Amino acid sequence: MILGFLSKYKDFGLLILRIGLGVMFLWHGYPKLIGGPGIWEKLGMAMTVIGVKTLPVFWGFMAAFSEFFGGICLILGILFRPACILLTTTMAVAATMHLGKGDGLKVAAHAIEDGIVFLSLIFIGPGKYSIDRK
C-alpha cells in the first residue's frame, strides 16, 4: 500500500482535522454569538425553510452557540459526539436554507461538505488525543 505507514498516525491526523475545523467554527461562530438578538433573529429565520416559524431568536442563538462552542468541543475533544450532532444539524439547516433560497449548490456546498464531515465524525469519534478519551 502506498504510504501505508501513515496509518499508524491516524489519531494525529484526526487531531489536525479537529483543530482545523474547530478553529474555523470558532471564527465563524464568535461574531454570530456576540451579535446579539438582531443577528440571532436573522440566523433563526433559516428555520422557516423547514417549516419552523416560531422563536427565530432562539434558533439563531442555538446556531451561533453550536458553531462557537462546537468549535471548542472539536478542538478539545470534549462532548465530541453531541457537538458533532449539533453541528451536523446546523449545517443541514444552513444547506437547506441556501438551496431553498435558490442560491444553488455552489453556495450550499460549504455547509453540505462540513455536514458530511461532522456526520462522519459522529461515528469515528474524537480519537486518542482528546479529553473524551481520558
Side-chain angles (χ1 to χ4, degrees):
M1 175 189 272
I2 298 174
L3 300 177
F5 69 95
L6 291 174
S7 64
K8 64 183 171 186
Y9 301 107
K10 63 184 168 193
D11 284 304
F12 181 67
L14 189 53
L15 177 64
I16 293 169
L17 177 65
R18 284 187 8 237
I19 291 172
L21 276 175
V23 167
M24 293 311 298
F25 271 81
L26 280 172
W27 185 74
H28 281 288
Y30 181 73
K32 294 173 187 171
L33 190 62
I34 66 165
I39 297 295
W40 301 338
E41 184 173 18
K42 287 179 186 174
L43 284 172
M45 293 304 289
M47 294 292 283
T48 60
V49 299
I50 60 170
V52 178
K53 295 177 175 37
T54 60
L55 303 172
V57 174
F58 170 77
W59 293 117
F61 171 79
M62 289 306 296
F65 177 89
S66 71
E67 286 187 17
F68 182 77
F69 288 102
I72 292 171
C73 291
L74 286 174
I75 292 167
L76 299 176
I78 189 168
L79 299 171
F80 185 78
R81 286 187 168 105
C84 286
I85 290 168
L86 286 175
L87 288 165
T88 300
T89 304
T90 301
M91 293 301 101
V93 171
T96 303
M97 183 263 311
H98 285 301
L99 293 171
K101 283 181 16 183
D103 291 338
L105 192 56
K106 188 171 186 175
V107 175
H110 179 71
I112 294 168
E113 292 160 355
D114 283 340
I116 291 167
V117 171
F118 294 132
L119 181 61
S120 300
L121 287 172
I122 293 167
F123 295 98
I124 295 168
K128 181 166 62 170
Y129 305 118
S130 67
I131 292 175
D132 279 354
R133 183 74 171 208
K134 302 285 182 207

